[in-house]
Amino acid sequence: MKFSDFFRRKSSGTVAKDRLKLVLVSDRTNCSPDIMEQLKNDIINVISKYVEIDTDELDIKITQTEMEGTSEPVPALFANIPIRNMKIH
């Protein structure tokens, strides 16, 4: 992935879909859309140091899950990050 890939233009439909996902996730987890976007960008930046990833197929979300020993759901981070190539340092 090239640095310029982060700044390429997306269709308005794609942008709207991404924003809706962030709003839904933030409602479920009490995490603001701004924090979710920062978290996603930080994860992308760190992983991109080591591997080339497919940002078009990237899926990072926070959902609710059951944790053993508790009766209430807890937030969980799920990431599906397709790797194109390993970077050699």
Side-chain angles (χ1 to χ4, degrees):
M1 177 178 69
K2 297 176 186 172
F3 182 72
S4 61
D5 289 346
F6 287 108
F7 301 103
R8 71 175 168 214
R9 299 201 120 195
K10 293 183 180 182
S11 70
S12 60
T14 302
V15 171
K17 183 178 171 183
D18 289 345
R19 286 183 184 161
L20 179 58
K21 284 181 185 178
L22 284 174
V23 169
L24 291 172
V25 168
S26 68
D27 284 348
R28 289 185 207 144
T29 61
N30 296 324
C31 179
S32 75
D34 291 337
I35 297 296
M36 277 300 301
E37 191 63 30
Q38 289 174 357
L39 177 63
K40 182 177 177 180
N41 289 335
D42 287 349
I43 290 170
I44 290 169
N45 289 333
V46 169
I47 292 174
S48 293
K49 291 179 183 180
Y50 304 99
V51 295
E52 180 183 339
I53 61 176
D54 183 355
T55 56
D56 293 332
E57 298 298 319
L58 177 82
D59 184 26
I60 298 173
K61 59 187 172 187
I62 296 179
T63 68
Q64 297 284 340
T65 188
E66 295 294 325
M67 190 166 136
E68 193 172 319
T70 65
S71 59
E72 294 183 22
V74 294
L77 176 70
F78 289 97
N80 181 10
I81 305 170
I83 298 172
R84 289 185 178 166
N85 286 313
M86 299 298 291
K87 291 184 179 179
I88 299 173
H89 291 277

